[in-house]
Amino acid sequence: MPEILNRGDIHAFKNEVLALIGQDASRCIQCGKCSSGCPIAYEMEHLPSQILRFIQLNMRDKALASNTIWLCAVCETCTVRCPESIDIAGIMDALRKICRREGVMPGDKKIAKFNEIFLNSIRGNGRVYELGLVMKYNMATAQPFKDALLGPVMFGKGKLKVAPDKVQDIAPVKAAFSKAKTFIAPKAKE
Amino acid sequence: MTESSQDENIEVFTYSEIENIEGFIGNFDVTIRKKARSVDMAKCTGCGECVQKCPTKVPSEFDMGLGKRKAIYTPFAQAVPNVPVIDRDHCLKFLKDKCGVCQKVCPADAVDYTQKDEMVQRKVGAIIVATGFSLFDWTVYEEYGGGRYKDVITGLHLERMLDTSGPTEGKVIRPSDGREAKQIVFVQCVGSRDEAKGVPYCSRICCMYTAKQTILLKDHIPDSQSYVFYIDIRAAGKNYEEFVKKAQRESGTVYIRGRVSKIYDRGDKLIVQGADTLAGERVEIEADLVVLATAVVPNPDAVKLAQMLNMPYDQYGFYTEAHPKLQPVESVTAGVFLTGSCQFPKDIPDSVAMTGAASVRACAVFSQDELTIEPKIAWVDPEVCSGCFNCMEACPFDAIISEEYQGRYVARVRESVCHGCGNCAATCRTKAVNVKGFTDEEIYAQIEAPFFEEEVEVA
Amino acid sequence: MEIGYFPGCSLHSTAQEFDLSVKTVCDILGVRLMEIPDWNCCGASAAHETSEELGLALPYLDLVKAETANLETVLSPCPACFSHLAETHEKVVGDQTLGERLKSVTESRGYEGGVNNRHVLDYFMDDVGLGTIKEKVKTPLEGLKVACYYGCLTRLPGVNLDSVEHPEMMDKIVAALGAEAMDWTHKTECCGASLSITRTEIALRLGREILDAAQRAGADCVAVVCPLCQSNLDVRQAGINGKYKTAFSLPIVYLTQLMGVAFGAPKSQLGFDKHVVAPDVLKKY
Ligand SMILES: Cc1cc2nc3c(=O)[nH]c(=O)nc-3n(C[C@H](O)[C@H](O)[C@H](O)COP(=O)(O)OP(=O)(O)OC[C@H]3O[C@@H](n4cnc5c(N)ncnc54)[C@H](O)[C@@H]3O)c2cc1C
Ligand code: SF4
Ligand code: SF4
Ligand code: SF4
Ligand code: SF4
C-alpha cells in the first residue's frame, strides 16, 4: 500500500517537533551530510537524513518506530556539520521523548531498557551505581553473562564498587523525579 | 584579446587598476593607475630572453601554485600584451640590489628598474563592469582537512592540470607525491548551499564543469575512475543534461547522492566519508585525489569598486542589476553596465551573451545626440534653496552638485544621474527641491480631487 | 586557591584514576579542590530523554549545592557532567521562568547563577595557563608520542574549544609537558561509549577505528579527558583485539596523569594500577 500523504495535515509532525524543541525540519535540504558522518549509521534502520525526511512528510509512525532514534549516540557530529544548522541530535532526542510519552514500542528495546534502569539508579541513590546497573540490565534483557569477563577485570582494578554510592539528602532528587513535567515513570521494576 | 589589443579604436590597459571614477553618463572621468611593470612596453619585443635567464623561481599564481614562474614573467603563454612584468616582491634587484641579469640580457634595453606607477586620465561615456568572481576559501571546512592534505584540491587546480600546455602538461597527478591519480573523487557544493559555513546560493557552474572534468579525466587516464558526490545535479541549459548523461554513460562517472561529511588520510589514500541517500547507505571511497567544487563568490574588492561607481550590490557583494527581468545588464547608475560573474555566477555562454547585450546597451548611449530620461526627476528652485546642502547628503546617487547662482552657492540636480527617489525633496527644509510631477501642491491636489468631485455631484 | 569540584559518578568508580590524578595535579599547582557537598548525579542523557525538565533539574540541584557552599568556580572533569552543568547554568541565567520552575521542582533554595563552570581543558589552558604548566614540569616527557583524543567533547553543548573539528588545546598542553602531540585523523570521532553496554559491537567497531588511527599516527599512548572514552578504549581493547584479530596495546591515559608524571608526582598518586592496558611507556619518566 502506498502511503497517501495528504490524508492529514502534511505539516503536522514537523510542527509538533518544532513546538517541542524549536527545530524546524522543513529547513532540511536533504543533502545527506548528517548521514555521511554518522558513526552509527551502519547499524541504523534509517539514515538520520531519512528521519528528517519522515518528519517533513508527516510519516510520524515510521519515524517513531525506527531504531535510528534509539541508536543515536548523541555524538552531535551531524548537528555541527549540518549546512542548515539543524540540531539533528536534538531532534532524535525529541523523538525518543515522544515515544516515552506515548508508550510507543521502542525501536531498540535494549537501549530503552538500559536508560530506564540507569534512571532508576539515580532515583534511588541520587548517584549511578554502575555494578548494580549492569547486573540489573543483564537480568532485564535476559543475558546474564554478557560482558561477564569484563566484571572481574574491572573488579580486580577496583573500578566497580560493591555497594552503591549514595547522596545523603535524597529528598530534593526525589522531588525532582516526581515533579518534573512530562516525566513518565519508567516501567522497570525496582 | 589579441584582436582587440590591435584595434585602433580599442585601448587596452593591462596591469592597471581603476583609481577613481567621477562624473556621470556620457561624461565619466576615469583615473587609471598603470602599475610599474619595470619593462618598457614600447621597447620590449617579447623575445623572452629575460624570463629565460632570471634565476628566481616563484609559485605561479595562474597555475595555482602547481608550477613555477620567474620573478620577471608573463602570467601565461597567451597573455596580452606579450611583455613581461617584474614581481618586485620577489626580484633580487628590488629585494637586495643584486642580480640585474634581465637588464643585462635584454637586447632591446627595455628593462627599467626605476619605472614608477603612472596615472592616466580618460574621458568615457559608458562603463561596462566585467570584473568576474573569486572562489570560496574552502579551508574553513576543517572536516575536509582544512587545507592540511595536499591531495585535496579545487576544480581550478584540476583545470590547470588538465591543460596540455599547463604545469603538468595534461597529466593529472597527486601534488603530494607526483603519482598519477587513478581514483578521483569530486565533492560538489563546497561552500555553496551551506548557510552554516558558506553561502546559501547554488554556484551554477560547478555541476557542469565537474561533468566536463570527469570526461576529460577519462580521456587523459583511461584506467581512471571518477566519483561525484552531489546533492542535486544542476544541468539546466542547452544540451547540459545530455552532457551529464554522457559523463555517466560514456565515461563511466559514478554519481553518488550525498554530501560528504569528512575527508581524512589513511596511508597514501584519502578516505572520503559520504552517504548515498538513494541507496540509504553510508559509503566511503578510497581516493587518490579529491577535487572540491568550491563556491563562486564575489572578488574581495568588489564592494570598493561598487562604491566608486555608486552602484548597489547584494548581501554577498554581487552587483545588482537595475531590474532582474527587464534590465539585466544595466546597473542602477546610468551609463554603467554589468556583465559576467560579477553580477552572479555564470558560465562562459551566459557571460558571452550578456557581454554582447551590455556592449549594445553601451553603444545605444552613443547612438543619440541627446539622452532621453525618465521625466520623474528632482529639480531645485535656486531662488528658494538656502544652500544648506542637506539634500546632497541624502541623495544615494550622488546626483546633487553645488553651483553658483547669483553670487551664492545652491544645489543643482544633475538630470542624467537623478533617479527620482525623492530623498532630497523629503530632506529639504525650505521646500526648494521637488520631484517633477510630485510637488507638494500636486500631491495635495490629488488627495483633494475625490472630495471635490463628490461636492460637484451633490451640487 | 580553592575551587569547587564536581567529580560525578564515574570518577568515584570506573574513573578513579582520573579523580586521583586531577587532585594530585591540582595539589601541585596549589589549587585546593572542594567537592560540592552531597552532590548528586547530573542525570546524563537518560534523564534528558525521559523529561527535559528532569534533565535540567538534576544538574540544577548541583548548582544550588555549589552556590550554597560559596563555590564560585566548579571544575567538572567529566565532559558530560560539565556540559549538563554548564548548559543548565546558561539556560537558567537566560530564562527566569525556567529558574523559578526548577526551583520549585527541586524544592530547593534556588540558584542565583553564581557558578563559573570549567572543564579540565579550559581550566588548565585559560585559568592556569601554559606558562605555569611549563614551569611545573620537572620530568619533560621527551620522546613520548601522544595522540590527543577529544571524542565528542568539542561538540557538547556549553563547551567552547579552539575548534570543533580540529581542536589543539589538549595538544598544546601535552606539548608543554615536553611530549610530542601527534596530528591524527580521529581526534573528534565518536567512541560510541553510550552504546558500550547495550550495543557492544558498535562500541568495539568505533573503538577499533580510533585505535587504528592513533597507531597509524605512531602514537605511544592516547590521552583523554573523558571517563567514558577512557574505559571504552582501555577496558574494551582486549575485546577489540579478539573480535578484529588486531594487536593493539595502546595505553589510554588521562591528560592529568601525563601532567602528574611530568610534574614529578609519585606514580602511586596517579592511579596507573587501574589501567587494563598497562601504561608501561611512562615507566621511563
Ligand atoms: C574550475 C572551473 C572550471 C570552469 N569550466 C568552465 C567550462 O568548462 N565552461 C564554461 O562555460 N564555464 C566554465 N567555468 C566558468 C567560467 O570560468 C566563468 O563563466 C567565466 O570565467 C566568467 O567570466 P567573467 O569574465 O565574468 O569573469 P572572470 O573570468 O573572472 O574575468 C574577470 C577579469 O576581471 C579582472 N578584474 C577583476 N577585478 C578587476 C579590477 N578591479 N580591475 C581590473 N580588472 C579586474 C580579473 O583579473 C579577470 O581577468 C569554470 C569555472 C571554474 C572555476
Ligand atoms: S545535514 Fe542537515 S540539511 Fe543535510 S540532510 Fe542532514 S539535516 Fe538535512
Ligand atoms: S548525534 Fe546521533 S544521528 Fe547524529 S551523528 Fe551522532 S549518532 Fe548519528
Ligand atoms: S552547480 Fe551543482 S555543485 Fe555547484 S553549487 Fe550548484 S548544485 Fe552545487
Ligand atoms: S530625487 Fe533621489 S536621486 Fe534625484 S537628486 Fe533627489 S535624492 Fe538624488
Side-chain angles (χ1 to χ4, degrees), chain C residues 218-253:
Chain C
D220 300 321
C221 63
V222 176
V224 297
V225 286
C226 169
L228 295 177
C229 296
Q230 201 281 338
S231 67
N232 200 34
L233 294 176
D234 179 35
V235 180
R236 295 224 178 264
Q237 208 166 113
I240 292 169
N241 285 335
K243 180 162 183 201
Y244 293 103
K245 310 281 171 270
T246 47
F248 295 119
S249 178
L250 269 175
I252 314 297
V253 296

Side-chain angles (χ1 to χ4, degrees), chain B residues 119-194:
Chain B
M119 294 295 181
V120 296
Q121 296 277 346
R122 288 291 181 274
K123 266 200 168 307
V124 302
I127 294 172
I128 298 176
V129 183
T131 45
F133 65 102
S134 290
L135 290 173
F136 177 77
D137 174 14
W138 69 272
T139 56
V140 298
Y141 282 83
E142 286 281 1
E143 64 267 47
Y144 296 168
R148 291 189 300 280
Y149 304 125
K150 279 190 176 161
D151 299 331
V152 178
I153 63 172
T154 68
L156 205 51
H157 284 100
L158 182 60
E159 199 74 17
R160 293 310 303 136
M161 287 205 272
L162 286 166
D163 182 353
T164 42
S165 58
T168 57
E169 291 163 347
K171 277 216 184 73
V172 177
I173 55 161
R174 293 155 44 97
S176 66
D177 57 12
R179 282 207 341 249
E180 193 170 55
K182 292 287 161 73
Q183 299 286 317
I184 301 108
V185 170
F186 291 84
V187 180
Q188 302 304 93
C189 305
V190 177
S192 308
R193 309 178 69 190
D194 187 340

Side-chain angles (χ1 to χ4, degrees), chain A residues 61-78:
Chain A
D61 297 345
K62 251 194 144 78
L64 295 182
S66 178
N67 76 2
T68 299
I69 63 175
W70 295 96
L71 278 169
C72 167
V74 204
C75 73
E76 315 241 1
T77 306
C78 49

Side-chain angles (χ1 to χ4, degrees), chain B residues 183-185 227 229 256 270-274 283-287:
Chain B
Q183 299 286 317
I184 301 108
V185 170
Y227 302 87
F229 280 96
I256 304 169
L270 288 164
I271 309 300
V272 182
Q273 210 178 64
V283 297
E284 280 179 3
I285 307 267
E286 294 180 328

Side-chain angles (χ1 to χ4, degrees), chain B residues 262, chain C residues 147-152 154-155 165-169 171 181-190 210 213:
Chain B
K262 180 171 171 170
Chain C
C148 294
Y149 176 62
Y150 300 76
C152 59
T154 62
R155 295 182 293 264
E165 299 284 353
H166 197 249
E168 285 178 331
M169 251 167 148
D171 298 66
M182 314 306 286
D183 194 12
W184 64 307
T185 54
H186 281 54
K187 275 184 173 184
T188 59
E189 289 296 311
C190 167
I210 292 160

